[in-house]
């Protein structure tokens, strides 16, 4: 196999990794906000349920969660598995795992907004909804950007865990080619892809941080 | 015309009785100053009046309309949330720590609530904001962000923000306590100017000389009750022992 063929195959795998990355963020960033609300709910049973969910997501390996989500329906529930379930199982596992982490970041951000902001909004007659979306959330986003960047960068690398359920993303390709060709080169190529992509992610997040630098 | 009336306001935090049946009333154009030691309940009274705290007992009345009314046992029963929201546009509040919205420019801080809460037109809100900024001597700061301003300037923006809602009454919760003595003067000047324009105001303050100069009526509170009240002269000639003691300690 030529070097160029290797790069081509791995680039194909990268497209799938990239898709996992995008869909995971698309699902987990908003879901995390809902989870954060549940975590801060005045309704105790909901608060506890969400707490247990977050605790399990953070306390067990993502690799294990991928296995459970992928094999669970057929082994536990005797459901018939369609061919594209492999892909969607990975998305579901990534989304519910990352939502738990994002929820805790959101919660910390929301709780860091001074009570005076809520009081000023209340006296000015803002509704709860307006207070959250106009006053609180914009300030929360600025504050949580650094920890969110951390998570996003981790996610780029975590997409490789999908290889455990034989999803043909970049890492799976690299592994297969490496075994069949008896060379480490595919891993080097994959590493370059991960690194460059993360470099771009970090650069983009830094730009967003700079854009929000207009106030303190 | 009576703008605000509070009858027998009581408030407890846990087992701590912070307010033990306090009554005040404020007529249109009147300036009421509330003085007293820390922990006397004056800020809590202001927070009850502005619906930031709920009273346990007593009435809260704005322009003859009950925001809260004592039932037969004296417990406060509040009006519906929709009605309370309407009442919020009757009053404005200036906080000790300004509480400006840091992500909004000075101008946006002033026009956002009139536009998004009171649904006034943006053009009209901008026009009145311009006039308010001019009045506060901040014409050139419209596009600045709060962190770029001094404490005194921030507090003047906060006053403009409250005035932009065209309130019938304005509350000040120790408006100069977070400021250097140097900057205190500029805020007191603004409040004095508002008093001259017959703005109805309730001011919780530690500035005794200012309270005497600017107010029509002074209430001295201690330990959750009104110990003494009267004209501005009570700052110079208090009759009650407790008031004398407080003012003496203050002069030292």
């Amino acid at each position: 196999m030529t070097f160029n063929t290797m790069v081509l195959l791995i680039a194909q795998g990268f497209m799938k990794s990239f898709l996992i990355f995008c869909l995971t963020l698309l699902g987990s960033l908003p879901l995390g906000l809902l989870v954060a609300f549940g975590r801060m709910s005045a309704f105790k049973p909901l608060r506890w349920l969400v707490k247990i969910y977050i605790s399990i997501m953070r306390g067990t390996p993502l690799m294990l969660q991928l296995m459970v989500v992928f094999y669970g329906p057929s082994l536990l529930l005797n459901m018939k598995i369609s061919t594209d379930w492999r892909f969607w199982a990975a998305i579901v596992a990534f989304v519910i795992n990352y939502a738990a982490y994002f929820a805790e970041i959101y919660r910390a951000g929301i709780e860091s907004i001074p009570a005076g902001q809520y009081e000023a909004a209340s006296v000015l007659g803002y509704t709860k909804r307006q207070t959250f979306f106009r006053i609180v959330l914009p300030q929360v986003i600025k504050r949580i950007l650094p920890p969110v960047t951390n998570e996003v960068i981790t996610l780029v690398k975590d997409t490789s865990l999908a290889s455990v359920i034989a999803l043909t993303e970049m890492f799976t390709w690299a592994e297969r080619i490496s075994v069949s060709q008896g060379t480490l080169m595919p891993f080097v190529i994959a590493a370059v892809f991960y690194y460059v992509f993360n470099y771009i992610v970090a650069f983009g997040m830094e730009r967003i941080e700079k854009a929000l630098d207009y106030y303190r | 015309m009576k703008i605000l009336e509070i009858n027998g306001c009581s408030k407890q935090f846990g087992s701590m009785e912070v307010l033990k049946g306090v009554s005040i009333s404020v007529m249109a154009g009147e300036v009421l100053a509330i003085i007293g030691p820390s922990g006397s309940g004056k800020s809590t009274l202001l927070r009850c009046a502005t619906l930031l705290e709920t009273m346990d007992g007593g009435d809260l009345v704005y322009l003859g309309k009950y925001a809260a009314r004592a039932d037969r046992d004296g417990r406060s029963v509040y009006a519906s949330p929709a009605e309370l929201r309407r009442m919020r546009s009757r009053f404005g509040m200036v906080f000790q720590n300004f509480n400006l919205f840091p992500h909004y420019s000075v101008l946006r801080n002033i026009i956002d609530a009139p536009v998004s809460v009171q649904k006034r037109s943006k053009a009209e809100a901008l026009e009145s904001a311009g006039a308010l900024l001019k009045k506060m001597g901040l014409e050139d700061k419209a596009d600045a962000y709060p962190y770029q301003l001094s404490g005194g300037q921030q507090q003047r923006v906060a006053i403009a923000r409250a005035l932009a809602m065209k309130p019938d009454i304005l509350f000040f919760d120790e408006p100069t306590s977070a400021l250097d003595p140097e900057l205190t003067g500029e805020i007191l000047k603004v409040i004095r100017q508002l008093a001259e324009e017959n703005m109805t105001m309730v001011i919780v303050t530690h500035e005794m000389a200012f309270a005497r100069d600017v107010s029509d009526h002074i209430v001295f509170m201690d330990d959750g009750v009104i110990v003494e009240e009267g004209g501005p002269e009570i700052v110079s000639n208090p009759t009650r022992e407790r008031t004398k003691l407080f003012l003496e300690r203050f002069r030292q």
Side-chain angles (χ1 to χ4, degrees), chain A residues 102 105 108 141-154 205 209:
Chain A
F102 284 135
I105 293 175
I141 289 172
K142 181 183 164 87
R143 288 182 190 208
I144 65 173
L145 228 42
V148 165
T149 303
N150 259 336
E151 287 304 316
V152 173
I153 285 175
T154 306
M205 294 303 276
E209 265 183 63

Side-chain angles (χ1 to χ4, degrees), chain B residues 17 42 154:
Chain B
E17 250 189 299
K42 37 190 207 319
Q154 288 190 50

Side-chain angles (χ1 to χ4, degrees), chain B residues 9-10 17-22 39-42 221-227:
Chain B
C9 169
S10 64
E17 250 189 299
V18 185
L19 295 171
K20 306 168 185 168
V22 176
S40 59
K42 37 190 207 319
M221 281 182 68
D222 189 25
D223 201 21
V225 294
I226 293 177
V227 174

Side-chain angles (χ1 to χ4, degrees), chain B residues 42-215:
Chain B
K42 37 190 207 319
S43 280
T44 307
L45 182 65
L46 221 57
R47 293 172 62 83
C48 286
T50 50
L51 301 170
L52 288 173
E53 298 282 357
T54 49
M55 318 189 298
D56 295 334
D59 304 320
L60 173 61
V61 194
Y62 280 101
L63 291 144
K65 288 211 172 102
Y66 284 87
R69 187 171 205 164
D71 65 9
R72 237 177 292 158
D73 305 321
R75 308 267 86 188
S76 301
V77 180
Y78 275 82
S80 70
E83 217 159 310
L84 290 179
R85 199 168 322 123
R86 270 197 296 281
M87 253 174 226
R88 281 196 171 91
S89 64
R90 298 236 180 263
F91 57 77
M93 169 93 149
V94 175
F95 297 89
Q96 185 175 341
N97 297 316
F98 330 134
N99 294 342
L100 292 176
F101 303 131
H103 58 308
Y104 284 169
S105 69
V106 164
L107 192 63
R108 182 90 189 268
N109 261 284
I110 298 172
I111 65 164
D112 195 67
V115 172
S116 63
V117 175
Q118 292 182 329
K119 311 288 179 205
R120 280 152 53 188
S121 82
K122 194 169 176 192
E124 193 252 291
L126 280 170
E127 200 185 306
S128 88
L132 283 167
L133 281 173
K134 196 163 173 210
K135 185 170 173 177
M136 297 294 150
L138 294 167
E139 307 97 306
D140 53 333
K141 298 293 183 195
D143 298 323
Y145 282 84
Y147 81 94
Q148 296 166 314
L149 305 179
S150 73
Q153 289 170 330
Q154 288 190 50
Q155 192 62 300
R156 278 183 279 157
V157 174
I159 294 172
R161 179 175 70 173
L163 288 172
M165 301 293 280
K166 303 192 194 303
D168 295 309
I169 180 169
L170 200 49
F171 295 93
F172 292 84
D173 187 10
E174 303 190 21
T176 60
S177 292
L179 300 175
D180 302 338
E182 241 175 298
L183 301 176
T184 297
E186 64 184 62
I187 296 305
L188 299 185
K189 205 174 107 193
V190 168
I191 300 174
R192 219 172 251 137
Q193 190 190 339
L194 290 173
E196 276 161 24
E197 294 165 12
N198 287 320
M199 183 76 208
T200 312
M201 294 185 281
V202 177
I203 307 167
V204 167
T205 184
H206 287 301
E207 302 284 334
M208 295 308 146
F210 170 70
R212 187 191 56 214
D213 294 347
V214 81
S215 61

Side-chain angles (χ1 to χ4, degrees), chain A residues 47-62:
Chain A
R47 208 164 63 223
W48 273 97
L49 215 69
V50 171
K51 225 173 152 175
I52 291 166
Y53 153 68
I54 292 175
S55 169
I56 292 172
M57 287 299 134
R58 298 205 301 184
T60 61
L62 178 51

